[in-house]
Amino acid sequence: MTRNGWIRQLHRWLSLAFTLAVLANIATNLAGTPSVWVGVLALVPLIPLMLTGLWLFALPWVSRRTAGGDARWKEQA
């Protein structure tokens, strides 16, 4: 698996962890016992999720730039 494949897989697992943390936060708030550490728990996967998401967002431009791109891209640059 390539580096981009690993980043994509990591992004998927981080999104699952973030979803579970948000659900835990909602459950504790609905139970009437909100705690700060459950709210902070959602931030743990959120920061690397943001970084991997930004990488996946920029990947088409980065790969086009490193591969040389097509003629249309070279004319615009």
Side-chain angles (χ1 to χ4, degrees), residues 25-35:
N25 191 4
I26 291 171
T28 57
N29 284 332
L30 289 177
T33 57
S35 60

Side-chain angles (χ1 to χ4, degrees), residues 1-3 5 8 11 13 19 25-26 30 32 41-42 49-50 55 63 69 71-72 75-77:
M1 187 180 282
T2 64
R3 177 182 57 171
R8 187 175 305 275
H11 186 76
W13 282 105
T19 302
N25 191 4
I26 291 171
L30 289 177
L41 185 67
L49 185 67
M50 181 189 67
W55 173 255
S63 63
R72 189 181 71 226
E75 289 173 5
Q76 292 176 356

